[in-house]
Each structure stands twice: as C-alpha cells, then as structure tokens.
Amino acid sequence: MSSKHKLTRSFRSLSAALYLINLTICICFAIFNPRYLEILVGVLTSIVTLIMLCVTMEAPPFLMNFLDTKRFAFLFTFRGRYIMDLFVALFMYAMGIVGIIMGTTTLVLIFGIRCVGVREPEAFGELFRQPVDADDQDNETYYTDGDTYEGTYDGTYAENTVESGRR
C-alpha cells in the first residue's frame, strides 16, 4: 500500500473518530442542558457533525446521492469542509471544557490536513474534490413548473394562458 493511501486512510479514520466524539458531546450537551438555546445548539451542531461524518465515510449511499449535487458540492471540497468544521468547533466551545478540548482538536485536525496537503498534494486531491468553477454553470433557464427553456423567447403567449390575458 502506498504512502498516499496510508495517509488518506489515516486522515479519514481520524476525521471519522473525531466526528463521532463530537457527535456524542453534542447530543449529551443537548440532553443534559434542557434549555432552549442549549438544545438548539446541540441539535444543530449534531446535524452538521452527522452530515460531515457521512461525507467523510462516503456512506450511506442514499445520502451521498442527495449530497453529491451542485447544490451541496462544497461539502466535498477542502474549503467547504473547513467552513463546516469551523462552525462545529465554534459551537463546541460553548459546550464546556470537553467541548473546548474537542473544538480545539477539530481545528488542529483540519489545519493538520491542510499542512500535510501542501506537502503531499496527491493525498490532498484524494481526500477532497476541486471546487466547481463559475464557468461550469448551465446556460439553461429553469421555470417553476419544472420545464426548461433553451433559446430565445419571441414575446408571444399561447392562447388561454394567464400571460395572454394581460395584454
């Protein structure tokens, strides 16, 4: 097994373990602090942590199919993961001493992945996708009824439609 695969496997395993610990802390925080704000912070942080855990493990397939779209493509890039981990770490700081320790550990891991990614770009490329460029956008116009329209509109409307009655 090459060093690139060992490094990738190590970071995935560390990330998954960290997300599991963070998830446990978030759930315990929400359960043992039965006030509105603490429950809200615990639940929202749990949801983000669970999504990031699933992205890291690339499972379950039905969730990956849902997340693997243009709308959620940022979750698979380093920048998207960094932002999500930063949000989780900041909320973890509100969860007492254990949360502070795990928030700091989350930040250290993401900075460590970046530092190693500079030295080992192949492993970094295997862990994360490249961001989608703005040039990759579709040139189609989407309407609310689900149909797509390609080309130009000539300004006429079909009879007995809402638009034909406005003239």
Side-chain angles (χ1 to χ4, degrees):
M1 180 175 270
S2 71
S3 65
K4 177 180 85 167
H5 293 298
K6 287 180 184 178
L7 189 63
T8 302
R9 190 180 67 206
S10 298
F11 276 125
R12 284 191 196 275
S13 300
L14 280 173
S15 295
L18 185 74
Y19 287 134
L20 283 172
I21 295 168
N22 285 349
L23 185 62
T24 304
I25 292 169
C26 293
I27 291 171
C28 289
F29 181 75
I31 291 172
F32 296 121
N33 295 304
R35 290 183 299 249
Y36 173 73
L37 193 56
E38 283 80 1
I39 292 171
L40 186 65
V41 166
V43 168
L44 291 178
T45 309
S46 297
I47 291 169
V48 171
T49 303
L50 185 62
I51 289 171
M52 294 311 294
L53 175 66
C54 292
V55 167
T56 299
M57 293 174 38
E58 297 178 351
F62 71 89
L63 184 61
M64 288 299 100
N65 291 338
F66 177 73
L67 293 176
D68 201 5
T69 60
K70 277 188 173 183
R71 183 177 187 183
F72 299 109
F74 72 95
L75 291 173
F76 297 94
T77 65
F78 176 75
R79 186 176 297 148
R81 181 170 169 180
Y82 175 79
I83 290 171
M84 299 304 280
D85 284 345
L86 182 65
F87 285 149
V88 168
L90 290 175
F91 280 118
M92 294 294 287
Y93 281 112
M95 298 182 188
I97 190 68
V98 178
I100 292 171
I101 292 169
M102 291 311 297
T104 303
T105 307
T106 301
L107 292 177
V108 166
L109 180 68
I110 198 72
F111 288 133
I113 289 173
R114 179 60 181 162
C115 290
V116 171
V118 170
R119 293 185 198 149
E120 299 284 337
E122 297 87 24
F124 192 77
E126 191 174 316
L127 280 171
F128 306 105
R129 295 182 188 167
Q130 296 300 315
V132 178
D133 294 333
D135 299 337
D136 293 341
Q137 301 293 328
D138 290 336
N139 292 327
E140 297 178 350
T141 304
Y142 290 89
Y143 293 96
T144 56
D145 63 356
D147 292 335
T148 59
Y149 177 77
E150 296 179 19
T152 59
Y153 179 67
D154 62 0
T156 60
Y157 296 98
E159 292 184 33
N160 299 325
T161 63
V162 173
E163 294 296 327
S164 66
R166 290 187 183 180
R167 292 186 212 170

